[in-house]
Amino acid sequence: MTVIAVISMKGGVGKTTVTSNLSATLTRFGQRVLVIDLDPQNALRLHCGIPVHETGGIGRDTLQGVSWENLDFRSPGGVQVLPFGVVSDEECMVIERHLVEHPGWLGDNLANLGLDEDIVILLDTPPGPSVYLQQALSIADIVLVVLLTDAGSYAVLPATETLLKHYGAFRRGFLGSYYVLNQVDASRTLSRDVMEVVRHDLGARLMPFPIHRDEAVSESLAYQKPVLDYDRYAQASQDFEQFAKWLIQKLKDKTA
Amino acid sequence: MSDVDVDVKNLFKKIGVDEPAYQELRRESRTDQARERWPLLNSLQAEEEAAPVKQAKRSAKKSELSRLFKSLEGGKAPPKEEAEPLPREAAVGPFRKLPEAGAPNPFNRLFEPQPPPRNFWQSMFDKLKKS
Ligand SMILES: Nc1ncnc2c1ncn2[C@@H]1O[C@H](COP(=O)(O)OP(=O)(O)OP(=O)(O)O)[C@@H](O)[C@H]1O
Ligand SMILES: [Mg+2]
């Protein structure tokens, strides 16, 4: 299996959107994908078309001390989903304490699932440093950092790099960390300029297909569908297709 | 490519500057223009360049930060001297106060072995486990 962590220093940049849409597009291309929500917000399930009344998830299972193998959620498009689950604030603190004491929590639970080698796991994470991010980075083969093309996102690049450097970026077998620009609006000078500067600074570590700001993305969420199913001709649908192809190539390079 | 560009390119050729170097210069000037339009982008760059370590490299336009970016490419560990922590001046945001080299990273402390959990946590965990 290949583990891909989707992270960002700033909130609301589109991690959950990227995780859900990328997983749906990869699945469309025949890749077997499991997505895991490591954010107590528990929003990923909504992006993946899981019914709102479902409360189960890895957070709940952790509290009850049971393995994750009975969690059987699947998006209509065929993505396997492990939601975080509905937990109270108090329960959330207990879970986080447990994670601090068990740094191998994520790796051990995944090993328990006995997944096939060809499965790709996408991890959605909360913004900024957290115990969840630490767990994700400690096992990730690839890290995708989501950025907006604004000055705020650019300002946190050094902090992001420092974080990556400290947590696992040089583990044996680590395939690399890449930046993904989201909500790019080419009609805005600032968006274009930040893109230019980031391209200059990051070189090959910038995923070469920026995801445009596209109303179809937010509309598709309101329909609980990936954008590709909501409007396959939308700009964002095409962006996610290119993104998925780029990633599949990276995975092929890995096995070669 | 405009006529002016072709002329400039030929001029560079005449004085012995090759095509990739010329393209690189064009790129640098586009990036500089982009930075100059926005005070924050510009000052982040300025702050990065103010760090003394990088002065020597200024002419090559290879800042400490972009070396760090490149060093992380493909997860390859950078050569020894590049593996040093970011200079404090270059770091912004939540990690601005980077520890001195060798000192534990504040984020790390979160994950170091903790003292035995207080009874409060244990009982809470047990309670939730049972419920
Ligand atoms: N490319 C896009 N075009 C238009 N809207 C977008 C795009 N990407 C994300 N959004 C919208 O931005 C909002 C935030 O997205 P999302 O919840 O995925 O961010 P996040 O990084 O996961 O947030 P958090 O840090 O809270 O977990 C959502 O309303 C989403 O629909
Ligand atoms: Mg999210």
Side-chain angles (χ1 to χ4, degrees):
Chain A
M1 69 194 188
T2 307
V3 181
I4 303 173
V6 181
I7 75 161
S8 75
M9 284 296 102
K10 293 179 78 74
V13 297
K15 294 175 294 302
T16 307
T17 303
V18 164
T19 307
S20 57
N21 281 291
L22 184 61
S23 65
T25 315
L26 286 167
T27 305
R28 181 68 67 84
F29 288 149
Q31 178 67 56
R32 292 204 290 164
V33 185
L34 167 68
V35 292
I36 304 180
D37 194 352
L38 293 177
D39 186 346
Q41 257 189 83
N42 196 28
L44 182 65
R45 70 197 170 118
L46 301 178
H47 288 247
C48 294
I50 306 298
V52 191
H53 59 80
E54 295 288 358
T55 57
I58 57 172
R60 291 234 64 82
D61 281 5
T62 300
L63 286 170
Q64 283 156 9
V66 299
S67 106
W68 301 351
E69 59 203 351
N70 293 322
L71 294 170
D72 190 14
F73 297 109
R74 197 178 268 263
S75 80
V79 179
Q80 202 74 37
V81 185
L82 291 180
F84 190 86
V86 178
V87 298
S88 68
D89 289 354
E90 220 176 33
E91 290 170 326
C92 195
M93 286 194 282
V94 175
I95 294 168
E96 287 168 15
R97 180 77 199 191
H98 181 77
L99 265 56
V100 170
E101 287 161 9
H102 300 88
W105 168 79
L106 182 56
D108 294 346
N109 275 292
L110 286 179
N112 262 343
L113 294 177
L115 298 167
D116 290 342
E117 193 48 37
D118 68 309
I119 289 179
V120 167
I121 300 174
L122 285 172
L123 305 173
D124 187 19
T125 61
S130 66
V131 282
Y132 306 102
L133 179 69
Q134 161 66 12
Q135 295 265 348
L137 291 184
S138 71
I139 64 160
D141 300 300
I142 294 178
V143 176
L144 299 174
V145 186
V146 182
L147 283 186
L148 299 182
T149 45
D150 64 12
S153 270
Y154 183 65
V156 296
L157 272 186
T160 313
E161 288 293 286
T162 307
L163 188 85
L164 287 173
K165 199 158 155 270
H166 276 289
Y167 300 98
F170 304 131
R171 258 177 307 116
R172 188 185 291 277
F174 185 73
L175 297 175
S177 46
Y178 300 93
Y179 284 78
V180 177
L181 296 177
N182 186 31
Q183 305 205 35
V184 170
D185 181 348
S187 71
R188 306 231 155 233
T189 311
L190 178 59
S191 197
R192 286 199 310 273
D193 282 347
V194 172
M195 202 153 55
E196 170 61 36
V197 169
V198 165
R199 247 186 219 147
H200 173 269
D201 287 352
L202 293 170
R205 290 187 52 225
L206 184 63
M207 196 279 288
F209 306 105
I211 298 154
H212 290 80
R213 174 177 298 159
D214 187 340
E215 213 36 46
V217 172
S218 13
E219 289 172 7
S220 67
L221 171 57
Y223 273 90
Q224 273 202 284
K225 277 180 177 182
V227 67
L228 198 63
D229 288 344
Y230 176 72
D231 177 359
R232 63 165 298 207
Y233 299 106
Q235 174 69 56
S237 299
Q238 292 166 37
D239 297 340
F240 277 109
E241 277 189 19
Q242 285 183 301
F243 185 5
K245 283 181 187 158
W246 172 86
L247 190 60
I248 287 171
Q249 190 55 49
K250 281 266 169 283
L251 299 176
K252 276 197 187 129
D253 293 348
K254 170 206 172 189
T255 41
Chain B
M1 195 180 281
S2 71
D3 290 350
V4 178
D5 279 340
V6 174
D7 285 350
V8 175
K9 197 174 137 187
N10 289 336
L11 180 67
F12 272 113
K13 248 192 196 146
K14 255 188 206 149
I15 60 173
V17 179
D18 60 2
E19 170 82 24
Y22 165 69
Q23 292 299 348
E24 179 65 17
L25 272 173
R26 273 170 55 87
R27 173 111 239 174
E28 293 286 352
S29 96
R30 262 216 311 276
T31 311
D32 287 344
Q33 280 167 17
R35 281 189 215 284
E36 274 153 24
R37 261 191 289 275
W38 308 97
L40 181 57
L41 299 190
N42 215 0
S43 56
L44 287 169
Q45 165 86 350
E47 193 173 346
E48 185 194 329
E49 287 179 354
V53 216
K54 286 157 296 190
Q55 293 301 349
K57 297 271 173 182
R58 180 70 187 91
S59 59
K61 283 242 183 183
K62 277 261 183 293
S63 66
E64 194 72 5
L65 185 57
S66 46
R67 284 199 299 138
L68 176 63
F69 285 136
K70 303 240 158 68
S71 74
L72 284 170
E73 202 172 318
K76 283 189 232 60
K80 190 72 189 91
E81 85 272 12
E82 294 190 10
E84 296 306 318
L86 266 184
R88 293 160 74 98
E89 295 83 348
V92 287
F95 294 100
R96 194 187 163 87
K97 285 198 180 66
L98 278 180
E100 299 299 344
N105 180 295
F107 186 38
N108 236 341
R109 241 179 290 134
L110 252 182
F111 307 103
E112 277 163 9
Q114 299 291 315
R118 280 171 295 152
N119 291 340
F120 166 75
W121 288 106
Q122 197 52 56
S123 57
M124 175 95 78
F125 196 61
D126 291 343
K127 198 174 83 193
L128 289 164
K129 236 174 161 172
K130 274 184 220 129
S131 65

